[in-house]
Amino acid sequence: MKIEQIYTGCLAHAAYYIESNGQAAVFDPLREVQPYLDRAKKDNAKIKYVFETHFHADFVSGHLDLSDKAGAAIVFGPGAKPAYEATIAKDGQIFEIGAYKVKAIHTPGHTMESTTYLLIDENGNEHGLITGDTLFIGDVGRPDLAQHVVSELTEEKLAGHLFDSLRNKIMPLSDQLIIYPNHGAGSACGKKMSKETTDTLGHQKKVNYALRADMTKAEFIKEVLTGLTAPPGYFPQNVLMNIKGYQSLDKVMDKAKTAFSPDTFETVANETGALVLDTRAANDFALGFIPNSINIGLEGSFAQWVGEMIPDVKQEILLITESGKEEEAITRLSRVGYDNTIGYLEGGFQSWKNSDKDYDSIGRITAKDFEKAFNGERPLLIDVRKKSEFNAEHISGALNIPLNEINEHLAQFPKDKPFVVHCAGGYRSMIAASILKQRGWDDFVDVIGGFDELSKTKIPKTDYVCPTTLL
């Protein structure tokens, strides 16, 4: 069976394309659908179905655009109620793709409509299982997301459904089945996913904590809910976009690819109140940036942190990027539902600087310089890593304020004395620094290289404790 796996890279989301006898199917397509259309043309195939495993929370699916451009039917599992035309599969329903068959298996738990798709080859052999967010490599989908959209659901109820789905629908299947999950390490849809992208069901039964043979439902519910943190704020908004529909990516791109001169950029920013988002690397941003702009670097977990730090997906955005990176930034914003980019600064920050307009900067120090300061007058050190990272190991005496909680804890950042911020490597701490600058803080510096470099010094730190969750 020919299966192509496609990744975005930022949230480790995977989409799948299969082709047989001139017909093709796509599972959970990404927002930019052209790769599927190109692949179908190359295979001399017609895309017949667009299969959705569930209403996604972490990204906006490309199912509507792909269905429109390919003339393909959208398929959801039992219980799904989209606000557009779609086929709602019955549990066990078979769909034919050329000589292959796809069997819909209703597996509620991550969401109530969650469905996995069993792939059956031309000889009738069961080949693999597209598991969506029901089963990951090393983990299972978190069962606390749907409650943010459907109030009568609780995470305990969903976890119970997930236990039943895994035990009654997935675990009885052949150990030789290849598991194709939607996510790998780096996604917020599970708490400790493996970096591996596929595995056999038999091996997962041996190593995945949630598939332990002697586990009771009560034990499962407790273990799968332990260590979960609040999901990113944009998740419920993405769910609703996937249920109700959204603008085509073509329209989003047409609106966003508007280049503004520095003078026009400044006027538009002042008149619209748009968020000025600078996507350059932390090192470049620190040296100079437009006042009141926020830094979230494109070369990192860009979409995830946009979703964490910009609460409203309808927020108008003005972009500053490296030259030639404008379209990539617009596309990656749209993947997580931020469709209101209204333009970008032509020529990037250099054009702003060349126009003699005011700009700001952020002070930075090396870990060695901080070590000297630590041995003298000890400054306040604020660690913006996740709680799990901080609890695993941190500099003695540091204060932990996770980046995604910074807006709720601004009062803990002093304005009457200097302080130092750091994360693991410098990416997240520059996001924090840009927010602090925007809110009026000035007397602080950022550690270049973050904890990775601080841990190499002789500064006292806590003993390492293996984390129980990666969230």
Side-chain angles (χ1 to χ4, degrees):
M1 178 170 285
K2 181 192 294 184
I3 299 180
E4 181 180 5
Q5 203 170 5
I6 301 175
Y7 287 89
T8 68
C10 50
L11 283 179
H13 172 261
Y16 298 88
Y17 168 95
I18 67 170
E19 180 271 328
S20 171
N21 293 9
Q23 295 183 344
V26 181
F27 298 81
D28 295 323
L30 308 179
R31 186 75 184 269
E32 54 275 36
V33 301
Q34 195 58 46
Y36 308 107
L37 298 169
D38 292 343
R39 181 58 188 268
K41 183 178 180 180
K42 179 183 176 183
D43 289 337
N44 195 28
K46 175 179 172 59
I47 297 175
K48 185 177 182 180
Y49 293 113
V50 179
F51 291 98
E52 290 286 299
T53 57
H54 62 292
F55 292 119
H56 307 283
D58 62 313
F59 78 107
V60 176
S61 176
H63 57 315
L64 293 177
D65 282 354
L66 186 56
S67 174
D68 179 62
K69 292 185 177 184
I74 298 171
V75 179
F76 278 99
K81 296 179 180 179
Y84 42 82
E85 185 176 351
T87 297
I88 307 304
K90 297 178 181 178
D91 189 18
Q93 185 171 345
I94 299 290
F95 297 85
E96 295 186 354
I97 314 295
Y100 301 158
K101 292 181 175 63
V102 176
K103 182 179 180 179
I105 302 175
H106 189 209
T107 50
H110 176 66
T111 67
M112 289 307 294
E113 79 284 350
S114 284
T115 297
T116 59
Y117 294 100
L118 180 64
L119 308 180
I120 303 169
D121 69 17
E122 65 273 27
N123 298 314
N125 298 315
E126 296 179 351
H127 166 83
L129 193 67
I130 304 283
T131 55
D133 286 20
T134 296
L135 175 62
F136 298 127
I137 308 304
D139 202 0
V140 291
R142 54 190 295 175
D144 64 323
L145 300 182
Q147 65 180 344
H148 296 275
V149 179
V150 182
S151 57
E152 60 265 29
L153 290 174
T154 66
E155 58 185 26
E156 288 81 12
K157 286 181 180 179
L158 287 160
H161 285 301
L162 184 58
F163 177 85
D164 292 337
S165 293
L166 291 167
R167 263 66 188 174
N168 301 330
K169 297 290 190 71
I170 291 181
M171 292 177 68
L173 296 172
S174 168
D175 285 352
Q176 304 308 310
L177 277 181
I178 301 172
I179 300 300
Y180 298 100
N182 264 21
H183 300 284
S187 169
C189 290
K191 57 185 178 180
K192 48 183 178 182
M193 283 178 262
S194 169
K195 65 180 179 180
E196 300 301 325
T197 57
T198 62
D199 194 7
T200 63
L201 177 58
H203 188 249
Q204 280 302 293
K205 289 178 185 178
K206 295 177 181 177
V207 301
N208 191 318
Y209 77 98
L211 303 187
R212 199 173 70 241
D214 61 351
M215 180 180 271
T216 67
K217 180 181 283 192
E219 289 172 336
F220 176 88
I221 292 172
K222 181 179 179 180
E223 288 191 39
V224 82
L225 294 181
T226 298
L228 292 178
T229 59
Y234 78 99
F235 271 25
Q237 297 176 77
N238 272 201
V239 171
L240 292 176
M241 290 178 72
N242 283 318
I243 293 174
K244 296 180 178 180
Y246 48 81
Q247 293 183 75
S248 73
L249 184 58
D250 292 340
K251 290 182 179 179
V252 172
M253 298 297 291
D254 287 344
K255 176 179 62 177
K257 288 195 292 187
T258 302
F260 294 124
S261 67
D263 286 341
T264 305
F265 187 93
E266 185 174 33
T267 298
V268 172
N270 290 333
E271 290 181 350
T272 64
L275 174 71
V276 179
L277 178 62
D278 192 321
T279 66
R280 294 176 297 150
N283 291 338
D284 296 327
F285 180 84
L287 294 174
F289 56 90
I290 296 174
N292 295 317
S293 60
I294 296 297
N295 174 240
I296 303 179
L298 199 58
E299 302 303 320
S301 298
F302 175 71
Q304 177 181 344
W305 285 110
V306 165
E308 287 274 15
M309 307 311 297
I310 304 177
D312 186 2
V313 296
K314 296 179 180 179
Q315 169 71 54
E316 289 186 320
I317 295 173
L318 284 166
L319 282 173
I320 301 160
T321 73
E322 295 289 353
S323 180
K325 294 285 187 177
E326 299 86 1
E327 186 169 334
E328 179 185 350
I330 296 165
T331 300
R332 289 173 66 177
L333 283 167
S334 74
R335 285 178 184 160
V336 285
Y338 293 82
D339 287 349
N340 289 307
T341 299
I342 58 176
Y344 63 89
L345 178 60
E346 187 172 23
F349 176 72
Q350 191 60 45
S351 69
W352 181 273
K353 193 174 180 180
N354 292 343
S355 66
D356 292 326
K357 292 184 179 294
D358 290 339
Y359 64 91
D360 211 338
S361 62
I362 289 172
R364 308 188 83 194
I365 61 171
T366 66
K368 287 292 185 182
D369 287 337
F370 180 75
E371 184 176 22
K372 295 175 184 176
F374 192 100
N375 291 328
E377 184 178 350
R378 179 172 175 171
L380 173 65
L381 181 65
I382 301 179
D383 184 336
V384 299
R385 294 178 300 158
K386 296 180 292 187
K387 282 185 171 64
S388 60
E389 295 172 277
F390 182 83
N391 291 339
E393 189 177 27
H394 60 266
I395 298 299
S396 298
L399 172 65
N400 181 220
I401 303 177
L403 175 58
N404 64 339
E405 299 177 15
I406 190 172
N407 289 319
E408 291 76 42
H409 298 281
L410 286 171
Q412 292 183 260
F413 292 88
K415 282 193 171 180
D416 58 348
K417 62 180 179 180
F419 61 92
V420 180
V421 296
H422 82 85
C423 62
Y427 180 86
R428 286 171 287 176
S429 59
M430 191 53 62
I431 300 175
S434 68
I435 291 171
L436 291 170
K437 274 284 189 179
Q438 186 196 52
R439 305 293 176 85
W441 275 264
D442 288 306
D443 196 5
F444 70 90
V445 293
D446 171 55
V447 179
I448 298 170
F451 188 76
D452 291 346
E453 293 300 317
L454 288 170
S455 63
K456 298 175 184 176
T457 68
K458 295 180 181 179
I459 302 171
K461 58 182 182 291
T462 60
D463 293 333
Y464 178 78
V465 178
C466 186
T468 57
T469 172
L470 299 182
L471 287 175

